Amino acid sequence: MNAAIDTAVIVVFSLFIMLVGFSFSRTGRNLKSFFAAGEAVPWFIGGLSLFMSFFSAGTFVAWGSIAYQYGWVAITIQWTMCIGALVTGLYLAPRWKATGNLTAAEFIRERLGEKVQKAYIYIFMLVSLLIKGSVLYSVARLVSASLGLPLMPSTVVLGLFMIAYTAVGGLWAVMVTDILQFVVLTAAVLIIIPLAFDAAGGVQHFLHFSPEGFFSVVNGEYTWGFIIAFALYHVFYIGGNWTFVQRYTSVDTPKSASKVAYLFAGLYILSPVLWMLPPMLYKSINPGLLGLETENAYLMICKHVLPAGLMGLILTGMYFSTSASANTALNVVSAVFTNDIYKGSINPGASDKTLMRVARVSSWFFGLGMIAIALIVPYIGGIVEFTLSIGAITGGPLLAPPIWALFSRRLTGKATLYITVVSLLVNLVFKVILPLTGSIKLGRADEMLLGVGLPFVMLALYEWYARSKGDVSDEYIQLQRRRAQRKVAVQTVSAEEAIEIQKQNQFGLKVIAFSLAFIALLLYALCFFSQKSAPLVAGIATTILLAAFIPLRAARKVKITPQPEPAESIY
């Protein structure tokens, strides 16, 4: 009976989300509307979308596994993301918006040259597929384990569903999904926590019978060195990852871009505590999980405490949060390919209709690559090893140089390529080649410090060298000339385009309001199966229903009048 109700919830909610995505199929008129939502996204929606795009089922599988094994350090690790977001809000997000570029790749071409851009594009697309393939694996593992389905078919079907959603709806469809999953997962976690404490025998029992060091800020291989390096990594990752840069460039002003990052930081102060408590509590209920079994700790506590229907709800929330993360990556990879490869090199005179067709086809192509990566994750050590290794090897070399270029007048394209290639090769040698020889194997902290520290040191040394010679890069001089020309011929959108952007944003807000009301009604229906949890579920449903009035009011305040304004600059 429970399995049937859970499956019904998954099917109903999945169909609803797909319909939401299809409702945006006519809003993508050109690249700016499809990939940047007209550069007029409300900052609070951009912030929530960034937050949801950042985490996925991998959060519950990877960090949940660490929380089960080591305890509080899983929360400490995730607090480094808050630090990265604060630095981004202060210094990086407004800079990205002020560049006036649609994608990070476009900025790299203008600032560091076309050769650097092409090299970065191919590496970025490969790394994005690797990371999002691991994300897809995480949710496929959760769904297959909970519903008793084979892992490989589950991975393929779920991956195809993600691709279809992104290829149809564009950025607004992705962001609406982000908002819905924020609400669904928050509701589900708030339901799980009191039930999990009850199953664990209460707070005192949990504190008394937890392993020694379980509440230490650092624990096991996750030392202070690892935490410091991971915080630095997240400055680069949140401030420079092309997926997240899109959130800063799709709002209206640099100030709004900062607000996007600040909202993300605020949400990441409390959220890790709420997310990691359930697998930590499960340690006192069932302390016998070993190896890759620990990746299922979150799922097991959910199955242990949730009544009928709510298990389906949280699985759907985890799946679509993963979908939101993967969709965002697919949207950005497709944007880079369409805007910077196809339009930039293959067919510069392509019409909007042709570009939209290429955008949707490329979403399918890269999505199938993501599915292929997800299928091999179990054979290379599991999600924790895969995720942290990819981050350690590629994060610093790929993200640090473009961020440095936002501020530096001296960094050249040639130096950027040299620093990136050398850093990647050194990281690969220490991570992959030397361990095979049995001579050297870095610990988790040393691996992360090398990954983010080496490119940072090389950039600083080059900056010092160029400053001592009084050099200013030719690429920077050319960029300043182009910006001066833009100020002379300010490009503003047409009155018709401005009205269409406002209509698109008003429609998106209305869809969010309607979707929140639907989630509330679904929770009210599940009250009939929730037994003792019915009052808690009904209270959360009422809160969500009241919250639906917020985007509804915001939609009514959107004025459909042409008000084009040039982008604000801080240069």
Side-chain angles (χ1 to χ4, degrees):
M1 178 64 179
N2 285 11
I5 296 172
D6 288 331
T7 302
V9 170
I10 292 173
V11 171
V12 169
F13 199 74
S14 297
L15 289 175
F16 176 74
I17 291 293
M18 182 59 80
L19 290 174
V20 168
F22 285 168
S23 71
F24 288 93
S25 61
R26 296 182 181 274
T27 61
R29 301 172 308 284
N30 50 43
L31 289 186
K32 181 175 284 190
S33 65
F34 191 75
F35 290 127
E39 294 187 274
V41 174
W43 67 266
F44 57 91
I45 291 181
L48 285 176
S49 179
L50 174 62
F51 175 72
M52 289 302 299
S53 298
F54 192 81
F55 83 92
S56 63
T59 300
F60 301 98
V61 175
W63 306 136
S65 173
I66 295 173
Y68 177 87
Q69 296 178 76
Y70 299 103
W72 190 270
V73 69
I75 297 170
T76 307
I77 292 172
Q78 292 177 79
W79 276 344
T80 63
M81 302 163 192
C82 175
I83 296 172
L86 287 174
V87 175
T88 298
L90 283 170
Y91 304 110
L92 305 181
R95 285 268 172 173
W96 281 117
K97 176 59 186 175
T99 63
N101 298 121
L102 180 64
T103 65
E106 190 175 35
F107 166 76
I108 291 172
R109 184 185 70 236
E110 289 195 353
R111 173 61 184 85
L112 297 170
E114 191 171 343
K115 289 183 179 179
V116 177
Q117 183 209 37
K118 287 183 177 180
Y120 266 61
I121 282 174
Y122 294 123
I123 298 173
F124 167 78
M125 290 191 295
L126 175 61
V127 171
S128 293
L129 293 182
L130 289 172
I131 293 175
K132 297 313 171 185
S134 70
V135 165
L136 174 58
Y137 161 78
S138 299
V139 74
R141 184 177 179 89
L142 285 171
V143 172
S144 64
S146 60
L147 299 181
L149 301 174
L151 179 60
M152 185 174 293
S154 298
T155 303
V156 174
V157 171
L158 294 174
L160 291 174
F161 191 90
M162 290 180 185
I163 303 167
Y165 189 86
T166 306
V168 169
L171 182 60
W172 253 114
V174 171
M175 289 192 298
V176 170
T177 309
D178 293 342
I179 304 304
L180 299 187
Q181 297 335 301
F182 172 76
V183 173
V184 169
L185 280 177
T186 300
V189 170
L190 291 177
I191 293 170
I192 290 170
I193 289 175
L195 298 178
F197 268 112
D198 184 61
V203 176
Q204 292 301 322
H205 185 275
F206 170 55
L207 296 175
H208 182 71
F209 287 96
S210 294
E212 184 179 353
F214 204 61
F215 298 99
S216 299
V217 178
V218 294
N219 198 356
E221 61 182 334
Y222 304 102
T223 62
W224 277 116
F226 174 85
I227 298 300
I228 293 170
F230 213 47
L232 181 59
Y233 165 76
H234 277 109
V235 172
F236 296 150
Y237 191 69
I238 297 171
N241 183 281
W242 294 7
T243 301
F244 306 143
V245 168
Q246 188 188 36
R247 293 297 182 269
Y248 313 136
T249 61
S250 61
V251 294
D252 54 353
T253 66
K255 186 176 181 180
S256 295
S258 291
K259 290 180 180 179
V260 169
Y262 292 147
L263 179 56
F264 174 95
L267 290 170
Y268 249 101
I269 294 174
L270 179 61
S271 295
V273 180
L274 299 178
W275 293 335
M276 294 300 105
L277 274 175
M280 290 172 66
L281 286 161
Y282 193 65
K283 183 76 170 184
S284 63
I285 298 172
N286 177 14
L289 298 184
L290 299 172
L292 293 182
E293 290 180 344
T294 61
E295 293 183 353
N296 288 329
Y298 213 104
L299 174 65
M300 290 180 178
I301 184 65
C302 292
K303 293 177 72 173
H304 189 76
V305 303
L306 287 178
L310 290 178
M311 184 66 195
L313 186 68
I314 193 168
L315 278 175
T316 310
M318 287 183 178
Y319 166 67
F320 278 104
S321 68
T322 303
S323 176
S325 175
N327 287 348
T328 300
L330 287 178
N331 186 265
V332 173
V333 170
S334 177
V336 168
F337 176 82
T338 306
N339 188 63
D340 302 297
I341 295 181
Y342 184 81
K343 182 183 177 183
S345 303
I346 300 175
N347 188 3
S351 65
D352 282 341
K353 184 177 181 180
T354 299
L355 291 173
M356 289 303 302
R357 184 165 61 249
V358 171
R360 291 191 164 105
V361 171
S362 63
S363 292
W364 279 97
F365 176 79
F366 292 117
L368 293 174
M370 176 187 70
I371 293 173
I373 296 298
L375 294 174
I376 66 172
V377 170
Y379 304 102
I380 45 183
I383 183 67
V384 174
E385 180 66 26
F386 186 86
T387 301
L388 291 179
S389 295
I390 291 296
I393 292 171
T394 66
L398 289 178
L399 302 177
I403 290 176
W404 197 279
L406 285 171
F407 300 90
S408 173
R409 298 183 301 162
R410 297 176 171 82
L411 184 63
T412 65
K414 184 177 180 180
T416 298
L417 282 177
Y418 178 80
I419 291 169
T420 298
V421 171
V422 170
S423 300
L424 282 173
L425 289 176
V426 170
N427 289 343
L428 282 170
V429 167
F430 277 93
K431 175 60 186 177
V432 178
I433 297 176
L434 291 181
L436 292 177
T437 65
S439 56
I440 297 177
K441 181 174 174 55
L442 297 179
R444 187 73 74 191
D446 294 332
E447 175 184 281
M448 189 61 66
L449 281 170
L450 175 66
V452 299
L454 179 60
F456 183 83
V457 170
M458 292 180 71
L459 285 165
L461 288 174
Y462 180 83
E463 186 76 16
W464 173 80
Y465 169 76
R467 182 186 291 270
S468 67
K469 294 182 63 179
D471 290 347
V472 175
S473 74
D474 292 337
E475 295 94 342
Y476 178 81
I477 294 172
Q478 293 171 11
L479 176 64
Q480 295 304 104
R481 290 172 181 168
R482 281 192 292 269
R483 285 181 173 155
Q485 292 172 357
R486 287 176 187 168
K487 289 180 180 180
V488 173
V490 178
Q491 294 183 356
T492 60
V493 297
S494 65
E496 180 183 359
E497 180 70 8
I499 290 175
E500 289 301 318
I501 290 171
Q502 292 162 356
K503 286 182 178 179
Q504 182 188 45
N505 292 346
Q506 185 184 66
F507 177 73
L509 290 167
K510 288 181 178 178
V511 171
I512 292 174
F514 173 75
S515 301
L516 292 177
F518 176 84
I519 294 171
L521 292 176
L522 182 61
L523 286 173
Y524 280 130
L526 292 178
C527 288
F528 292 102
F529 308 99
S530 299
Q531 302 172 357
K532 295 180 181 180
S533 307
L536 177 62
V537 175
I540 292 175
T542 302
T543 302
I544 294 173
L545 185 60
L546 293 175
F549 288 98
I550 298 174
L552 185 62
R553 286 189 61 190
R556 290 174 177 173
K557 291 181 179 179
V558 175
K559 297 180 180 179
I560 311 300
T561 55
Q563 295 177 329
E565 294 181 359
E568 182 179 332
S569 177
I570 60 174
Y571 283 91

